Amino acid sequence: MKTRLLAPGLLLLGLAACDSTGQMTPTTQRVGGGAAVGALTGLAIGSISGNAGTGALIGAAAGGAGGFAWDQHQRAQQRAFNQGVAAGRASSQ
C-alpha cells in the first residue's frame, strides 16, 4: 500500500528536478506547477478512494489544463499592459 502511494509522489519530485538549467519559460512553469499541484491533490483524493495512481493522473491533467488557462490569462494581461504603455508613450510625444 505504501509503495502505491509513494511511487507517484517520487515520480513528481523527479519530474520537478528536470529543469537543471533554470531556463523554464513562464508557460512551462505555470503548466508544470498546475500539473504538480493537481497530481498531489489527485494522489491524496485517490488514496482515500483506493486508487492513488489514477487520481494522480486525473489531477495532473486537470492541473495542467488549469495552469495553461492561467498562463493564457496572464499573457493576455501582459499584452494589454504593453499596448497601454505603448499608447501612452505615443500620445506623450
Side-chain angles (χ1 to χ4, degrees), residues 33-75:
V37 169
L40 290 175
T41 304
L43 179 68
I45 293 170
S47 68
I48 293 169
S49 67
N51 198 342
T54 302
L57 288 174
I58 293 170
F68 182 75
W70 179 253
D71 177 66
Q72 296 305 306
H73 170 72
Q74 292 295 99
R75 285 173 169 245

Side-chain angles (χ1 to χ4, degrees), residues 69-86:
W70 179 253
D71 177 66
Q72 296 305 306
H73 170 72
Q74 292 295 99
R75 285 173 169 245
Q77 264 190 327
Q78 188 63 44
R79 277 192 302 272
F81 175 79
N82 291 341
Q83 288 173 350
V85 168

Side-chain angles (χ1 to χ4, degrees), residues 4-76:
R4 289 178 57 185
L5 295 176
L6 190 59
L10 290 175
L11 178 64
L12 287 174
L13 288 174
L15 289 175
C18 285
D19 181 38
S20 62
T21 62
Q23 300 295 324
M24 289 179 69
T25 65
T27 300
T28 306
Q29 291 174 350
R30 291 177 184 133
V31 172
V37 169
L40 290 175
T41 304
L43 179 68
I45 293 170
S47 68
I48 293 169
S49 67
N51 198 342
T54 302
L57 288 174
I58 293 170
F68 182 75
W70 179 253
D71 177 66
Q72 296 305 306
H73 170 72
Q74 292 295 99
R75 285 173 169 245

